[in-house]
Amino acid sequence: MHEYVASLMETVKAKNPSEPEFHQAVQEVAESLVPVIERHPEYRSAALLERMVEPERVLMFRVPWMDDDGQIHVNRGFRIEMNSALGPYKGGLRFHPSVNLGILKFLAFEQVFKNSLTTLPMGGGKGGSDFNPKGRSDVEVMRFCQSFMTELHRHIGANTDVPAGDIGVGGREIGYLFGQYKRLANEFTGVLTGKGLNWGGSLIRPEATGYGAVYFAREMLKTRDDSLEGKVCLVSGSGNVAQYAVEKLLEFGARPVTLSDSSGYIYDEAGIDKEKLAFVMQLKNTRRGRISEYAEQYAGSVYTESDATESDNPLWAHGADCAFPCATQNEISEEDAATLLANGVSLVSEGANMPTVAGGVQRFVEAGILFAPGKAANAGGVAVSGLEMAQNSMRYSWHREEVDERLQMIMADIHEACIKASDRFGTPGNYVNGANIAGFLKVADSMIDQGLV
Ligand code: NDP
């Protein structure tokens, strides 16, 4: 390990113990930046990375709420305001029992670089709670969201910090959160994105992350005179990102064959077509059921329960051309990465944040496949959130086609920025380095401009 990365990581680990995901995210970025720091010692003397790994502010608060039986629960709420060099803090809220400070810090750190890549004026943040919405009634979810926002509202604002959705936070939760914010602040502003279309939301926002990951894949394939037409694709997850990745893959003539949730995955060799996708959307977004029901509905598909004790996930062992991990962090182990490569997968576009462990990323990069890291491939979601903020400021809404065109343009621009930065710093075709370097440079130069704050 380079001496600069080693000393940075020693400090990061000492100051942030028990936060392995945060360490993983920082180390990947720091390693990518070695050629930049060597060529530009001014970044090192300005202690830019040392400043970037320290959140500008961390909020942690109690969220008490009552269930339908009158029982009291206490969850923990968080907001990490990581970096505001480029604009108001921006990043999603995650409601999942696995949420803790370290996971949100990794996500907030990634978000800073991702938002920089979008070219829109957004700083980076992330938040959420260890609340588990699964199995809770709508009213329980509403009570929780209202309690969460009762504290959070003092810290956010359309020009300060603009949260959005993430795992466990979709249209329903954003609605309850927005309602409570409006009531407390007595103002109707674009303080959250992912809003409903009737009250300030943007067309294409729900689709944006999944579509964006597929648009990015299309750009990567273009560099090899190839396309998604006829490609067999493994997709994980079955939530917001996975659903719209599948929709766009179908539009581009690909054949998605898998989907998953935290209980297991389905494999459908014939392909998940439009009708089957509509079933999944109904199942997941309205009935809030399990993906196992897909196999009960469609003969020829197979459901496999997940086994957390295993170091590999059999979803990644099916023969395919491309993989779109769209569930959660570290869902592709090093073993899975080796299997994907052995089976001839030549493109991985990360819809989720950091879904591949560090050793897996290294294998993909060394194999020279088209590998798009999450901070580039899934930036479409926050990009359209940025466009939602722009529309809210204008008090105006763009047509679907207009937003989609902008999204495609932004994804193509991010692709171009990654290619240019990886070329410029001596690792052509390495999208990991490209994304980290391009994202870093804009934030770093802005921080220098703004002085030691
Ligand atoms: P959703 O809550 O809509 O869906 C998440 C999906 O992943 C569900 O199918 C869920 O299964 C599964 N999942 C969640 N946690 C685990 C776990 N620990 N193990 C296995 N499966 C799991 O979230 P999104 O689709 O919005 O988010 C998916 C990923 O995309 C996340 O990494 C998120 O950070 C990232 N992302 C999302 C953006 C957005 O705009 N929504 C933007 C950029 C990135 P189950 O139903 O069983 O919980």
Side-chain angles (χ1 to χ4, degrees):
M1 201 189 293
H2 189 274
E3 83 30 63
Y4 174 61
V5 178
S7 83
L8 179 81
M9 288 315 300
E10 198 183 323
T11 314
V12 167
K13 286 179 182 171
K15 285 180 90 172
N16 307 276
S18 314
E19 296 179 3
E21 293 86 1
F22 182 56
H23 305 162
Q24 183 183 340
V26 172
Q27 184 160 338
E28 183 204 284
V29 169
E31 280 173 354
S32 288
L33 293 178
V34 167
V36 181
I37 302 278
E38 280 177 345
R39 211 179 291 176
H40 295 280
E42 66 273 21
Y43 290 133
R44 187 169 178 179
S45 50
L48 277 163
L49 255 183
E50 289 80 348
R51 284 150 69 187
M52 283 185 195
V53 298
E54 201 59 42
E56 288 179 14
R57 191 177 298 114
V58 173
L59 305 156
M60 195 163 107
F61 50 93
R62 179 171 69 201
V63 189
W65 60 282
M66 193 175 275
D67 69 20
D68 289 343
D69 300 323
Q71 200 179 328
I72 290 172
H73 299 262
V74 181
N75 285 98
R76 189 169 275 182
F78 301 90
R79 186 72 184 163
I80 317 295
E81 297 185 335
M82 198 75 190
N83 193 301
S84 62
L86 302 185
Y89 308 106
K90 181 89 199 86
L93 297 171
R94 176 176 290 192
F95 291 169
H96 193 272
S98 64
V99 162
N100 59 39
L101 188 60
I103 288 195
L104 294 179
K105 276 165 66 182
F106 117 64
L107 288 163
F109 183 74
E110 293 276 297
Q111 195 81 44
V112 173
F113 298 87
K114 182 189 308 190
N115 293 3
S116 165
L117 285 170
T118 66
T119 69
L120 301 174
M122 299 181 289
K126 199 84 189 187
S129 173
D130 57 359
F131 169 68
N132 186 0
K134 232 171 269 164
R136 291 291 171 195
S137 69
D138 284 354
V139 178
E140 286 175 323
V141 170
M142 181 177 76
R143 267 188 234 119
F144 175 81
C145 287
Q146 291 180 340
S147 180
F148 184 84
M149 186 52 87
T150 300
E151 175 56 36
L152 187 68
H153 91 281
R154 331 169 197 281
H155 311 290
I156 61 175
N159 295 311
T160 316
D161 183 352
V162 184
D166 190 74
I167 291 178
V169 179
R172 173 182 62 169
E173 291 75 15
I174 293 291
Y176 295 147
L177 291 163
F178 183 78
Q180 183 72 349
Y181 179 86
K182 182 166 62 79
R183 185 184 195 189
L184 292 167
N186 192 28
E187 59 175 33
F188 193 114
T189 50
V191 67
L192 291 160
T193 57
K195 299 188 288 300
L197 286 178
N198 291 331
W199 40 278
S202 173
L203 286 158
I204 303 285
R205 176 60 190 91
E207 294 91 337
T209 310
Y211 278 17
V214 177
Y215 289 146
F216 199 92
R218 176 179 62 175
E219 294 302 316
M220 292 199 294
L221 285 164
K222 273 190 207 161
T223 66
R224 298 193 178 173
D225 292 322
D226 202 353
S227 78
L228 281 159
E229 181 74 40
K231 295 276 189 300
V232 175
C233 299
L234 305 176
V235 180
S236 65
S238 52
N240 173 266
V241 181
Q243 291 171 15
Y244 289 106
V246 167
E247 185 168 285
K248 192 50 79 177
L249 285 172
L250 290 175
E251 202 183 308
F252 286 171
R255 177 155 57 97
V257 291
T258 58
L259 280 172
S260 69
D261 61 20
S262 45
S263 311
Y265 80 95
I266 58 100
Y267 173 66
D268 186 345
E269 195 182 353
I272 300 160
D273 61 19
K274 269 188 166 170
E275 182 212 312
K276 293 170 180 173
L277 175 62
F279 170 82
V280 172
M281 286 184 170
Q282 225 269 336
L283 171 72
K284 284 290 172 186
N285 307 345
T286 310
R287 288 198 287 123
R288 301 186 191 276
R290 308 308 296 158
I291 200 67
S292 55
E293 287 184 43
Y294 182 103
E296 292 159 21
Q297 180 77 11
Y298 297 108
S301 65
V302 185
Y303 173 70
T304 307
E305 211 158 287
S306 59
D307 181 352
T309 61
E310 293 292 332
S311 60
D312 65 319
N313 177 351
L315 185 156
W316 305 118
H318 294 279
D321 304 298
C322 308
F324 291 82
C326 297
T328 193
Q329 64 274 359
N330 293 331
E331 55 168 318
I332 297 183
S333 65
E334 194 169 342
E335 211 174 316
D336 293 325
T339 307
L340 284 163
L341 291 171
N343 287 343
V345 164
S346 59
L347 178 149
V348 178
S349 182
E350 294 187 334
N353 283 309
M354 207 170 74
T356 312
V357 301
V361 171
Q362 202 180 336
R363 279 180 187 256
F364 290 148
V365 170
E366 279 168 9
I369 65 161
L370 296 170
F371 172 69
K375 62 171 79 67
N378 70 34
V382 73
V384 175
S385 274
L387 300 179
E388 184 173 329
M389 289 165 73
Q391 293 170 82
N392 291 165
S393 299
M394 292 188 291
R395 300 191 188 284
Y396 188 71
S397 307
W398 290 321
H399 293 293
R400 188 179 168 84
E401 292 71 28
E402 189 165 355
V403 183
D404 192 30
E405 246 169 56
R406 285 175 196 266
L407 170 63
Q408 295 190 51
M409 224 153 52
I410 290 172
M411 296 315 295
D413 286 350
I414 296 175
H415 179 268
E416 182 70 19
C418 292
I419 291 281
K420 278 196 178 142
S422 59
D423 271 358
R424 193 175 141 208
F425 286 94
T427 51
N430 182 330
Y431 290 90
V432 176
N433 286 352
N436 288 335
I437 293 170
F440 169 82
L441 288 174
K442 203 170 145 197
V443 180
D445 291 339
S446 306
M447 287 175 74
I448 290 175
D449 290 347
Q450 293 169 23
L452 194 54
V453 291

